Amino acid sequence: MIRIQNITKSFGRTQVLQDVSLDLPEGGVTALIGPNGAGKSTLLSIIARLAPADGGRVSIDGLDAHQAPSADLARLIAMLRQDNHLTARLTVRELIGFGRFPHSGGRLNAADQAAIDRAVAYLDLAELQHRFLDQLSGGQRQRAFVAMTIAQETKYLLLDEPLNNLDMKHARAMMRLLRQISQDLGKTVLVVLHDINFASCHADRIVAMKDGRIFATGTPRQIVAPEVLADLYETDIPVHDIDGRRIAAFYD
Ligand SMILES: Nc1ncnc2c1ncn2[C@@H]1O[C@H](COP(=O)(O)OP(=O)(O)O)[C@@H](O)[C@H]1O
Ligand SMILES: [Mg+2]
């Protein structure tokens, strides 16, 4: 389980996380939603130790995330960042191979190659695996970065807006994949989503953040509700029941 206790974080004078506490139980897909600037990316980065907190504590399976040896942490938790900048000219397969670093230490053995093959297949990248990243569309590149994260084969997976740039087919496939790896492989997935309908249809639970705080947590049925969404996003969002799911309609 991931236990987040009293995390605070400021940039300059702006406090972007205010005493955030949250327990994420093992297994399942948790969607993290909320308006721009709510602190979602900052919280994910702190959980994965990509950024320091000012106060508070994160523990993952009892391991202090900010004290544990980084190699131990890297075998337990992987994170897809919202903005991936790469200057090196790499192929898709080489990038995915980076995900194996905590296991391989830089020398890929047969087990690492097999894990790379699995990630290539999961993300539908077989035909693109020898292309350079700068020869890909935004959505193809996004899938390559997700494949790298999955190839790390950690128990916990944090994904910051993995649906960015994806077309409908690949967005749906991505959400099905996240559900599948949580169900079949017992992974615990925490995923930042902007499309609350994907959260509604695919997540086991939803955590909503606003103004650096946890605003609400619950099942999709509890969170994808007009009274919750109106306060969360400060705009009226009608919600319809379609085929037993709550679907927000906000395109008018
Ligand atoms: N490196 C940084 N320096 C200064 N301010 C930052 C930095 N990163 C994020 N912020 C600010 O922190 C707040 C939360 O940002 P973020 O965690 O990215 O929100 P979200 O992912 O929910 O959109 C925003 O107001 C953002 O401008
Ligand atoms: Mg963000």
Side-chain angles (χ1 to χ4, degrees), residues 16 18 55 60 77 89-90 122 143 146 151 160 175 199 223:
V16 299
Q18 327 223 18
I60 305 172
I77 187 163
R89 195 151 199 258
L90 292 173
Y122 274 145
R143 274 154 50 215
V146 173
D160 199 350
M175 291 311 300
I223 304 295

Side-chain angles (χ1 to χ4, degrees), residues 37 39-42 82 160-161 192 194:
K40 305 178 297 295
S41 295
T42 305
Q82 187 174 348
D160 199 350
E161 300 195 26
V192 177
H194 267 299

Side-chain angles (χ1 to χ4, degrees), residues 38-252:
K40 305 178 297 295
S41 295
T42 305
L43 182 62
L44 250 64
S45 298
I46 288 172
I47 297 172
R49 199 161 77 184
L50 299 175
D54 297 335
R57 207 180 122 85
V58 176
S59 71
I60 305 172
D61 289 353
L63 204 69
D64 185 321
H66 287 239
Q67 303 289 335
S70 53
D72 291 355
L73 200 66
R75 283 190 292 264
L76 195 58
I77 187 163
M79 175 171 168
L80 172 80
R81 308 178 74 135
Q82 187 174 348
D83 304 300
N84 291 295
H85 299 290
L86 259 193
T87 43
R89 195 151 199 258
L90 292 173
T91 66
V92 170
R93 196 172 173 89
E94 286 166 345
L95 176 78
I96 299 170
F98 281 160
R100 297 302 300 166
F101 196 83
H103 305 274
S104 69
R107 288 188 161 204
L108 299 173
N109 63 23
D112 297 314
Q113 297 293 354
I116 294 169
D117 287 337
R118 283 193 290 278
V120 164
Y122 274 145
L123 275 304
D124 192 21
L125 288 167
E127 286 174 12
L128 297 172
Q129 61 180 313
H130 301 299
R131 282 239 218 134
F132 287 103
L133 294 173
D134 58 10
Q135 298 169 330
L136 302 179
S137 75
Q140 292 168 337
R141 203 174 306 129
Q142 178 73 355
R143 274 154 50 215
F145 277 98
V146 173
M148 173 181 70
T149 312
I150 283 178
Q152 208 170 316
E153 297 196 329
T154 53
K155 178 170 163 189
Y156 296 95
L157 204 53
L158 310 183
L159 301 151
D160 199 350
E161 300 195 26
L163 305 186
N164 276 359
N165 294 316
L166 298 190
D167 61 32
M168 280 192 278
K169 170 183 161 180
H170 287 105
R172 175 192 233 178
M174 180 75 71
M175 291 311 300
R176 287 177 169 172
L177 171 65
L178 296 182
R179 268 205 342 213
Q180 185 197 337
I181 61 177
S182 86
Q183 281 167 6
D184 299 353
L185 308 176
K187 310 280 188 197
T188 304
V189 179
L190 177 62
V191 54
V192 177
L193 295 175
H194 267 299
D195 188 329
I196 53 175
N197 290 330
F198 274 120
S200 182
C201 295
H202 291 274
D204 298 298
R205 40 183 179 266
I206 298 180
V207 174
M209 285 185 75
K210 183 180 182 183
D211 297 334
R213 291 192 172 85
I214 305 294
F215 178 83
T217 61
T219 61
R221 192 147 273 279
Q222 289 166 328
I223 304 295
V224 185
E227 59 279 11
V228 178
L229 298 181
D231 285 349
L232 178 62
Y233 291 103
E234 297 180 359
T235 183
D236 284 332
I237 300 176
V239 173
H240 304 280
D241 264 296
I242 299 175
D243 295 337
R245 277 145 171 184
R246 289 263 164 106
I247 302 297
F250 49 96
Y251 299 107
D252 58 328

Side-chain angles (χ1 to χ4, degrees), residues 5-10 17 19-20 46 52-58:
Q5 291 170 292
N6 310 109
I7 290 291
T8 54
K9 175 77 178 177
S10 298
L17 293 177
D19 200 27
V20 172
I46 288 172
D54 297 335
R57 207 180 122 85
V58 176

